[in-house]
Amino acid sequence: RGQPQPGMKVLVLFFALVGTSQASLLLPTWNQQDFSPCVAYGNATTYNITDLFDWPLDLGGFIWSCDGRGSAPGPCNEPDVAMCQTGADFPRVAGLASRALWFAEFNGRPTTWQIMYPADGLRVSRVNFVLDPSVEKPTITFNGEHPYTEYGFTVRGKCLGNPIDTPPYYCIP
């Protein structure tokens, strides 16, 4: 009594994030055969970052793999690790692919959206996406960190796996 159940912490975090976000939680596919943590869906929209970069992506201090199949040292060399902090005194899991939360406008064609990768414990990585027609090839920058807890990145470009109106219905970089 008095101690929250493990799932309750995630539920409270989820409602806190949804309550403060200006977006909807996008959905993964419900068909497990086709499931990919690199893809999410809105209302007749597809977000697909499978081909955004050559995965895993070395960010100089972090390794990002949208599908959690990256290779990194120590505890990060496990399936499901989407973000690994490698520039610390020892590698730290900074986000899990299976827990990815995608936020964007559920209807329409947004110019920004976000993936949040919670990890075990306190760590979370946020990857913000910004459509920018002046940036031909996608770029990623490290925005900074709240020490030991939150890591921020921004991906910018004119084609970021975002929804479009022609097949395959998402922009392939």
Side-chain angles (χ1 to χ4, degrees):
R1 207 169 228 226
Q3 292 293 324
Q5 297 295 319
M8 186 58 106
K9 292 177 186 176
V10 173
L11 187 61
V12 169
L13 174 64
F14 170 75
F15 283 115
L17 292 170
V18 171
T20 60
S21 78
Q22 297 296 316
S24 299
L25 181 63
L26 300 177
L27 306 170
T29 181
W30 296 112
N31 178 349
Q32 290 299 318
Q33 180 179 356
D34 297 330
F35 175 76
S36 170
C38 303
V39 181
Y41 300 93
N43 183 15
T45 56
T46 301
Y47 297 78
N48 187 336
I49 63 169
T50 303
D51 298 319
L52 184 59
F53 296 109
D54 290 328
W55 305 108
L57 185 63
D58 188 342
L59 303 172
F62 290 86
I63 295 176
W64 177 27
S65 179
C66 73
D67 63 5
R69 294 187 201 156
S71 59
C76 295
N77 194 18
E78 296 287 330
D80 196 32
V81 176
M83 191 72 72
C84 177
Q85 183 182 25
T86 58
D89 50 350
F90 62 89
R92 294 184 174 99
V93 175
L96 299 171
S98 64
R99 295 184 183 176
L101 299 169
W102 294 59
F103 295 95
E105 292 178 34
F106 194 72
N107 298 298
R109 304 288 186 261
T111 57
T112 63
W113 66 96
Q114 180 181 92
I115 303 174
M116 202 161 98
Y117 295 104
D120 292 330
L122 299 173
R123 290 180 179 74
V124 64
S125 293
R126 293 177 185 252
V127 182
N128 297 298
F129 294 82
V130 178
L131 288 180
D132 184 341
S134 69
V135 179
E136 187 69 32
K137 184 178 177 186
T139 62
I140 185 166
T141 55
F142 178 59
N143 302 331
E145 74 175 85
H146 296 283
Y148 309 107
T149 60
E150 183 176 323
Y151 312 98
F153 304 86
T154 298
V155 177
R156 188 176 295 274
K158 74 175 193 175
C159 179
L160 303 176
N162 49 289
I164 58 174
D165 294 325
T166 56
Y169 302 107
Y170 59 90
C171 188
I172 300 173

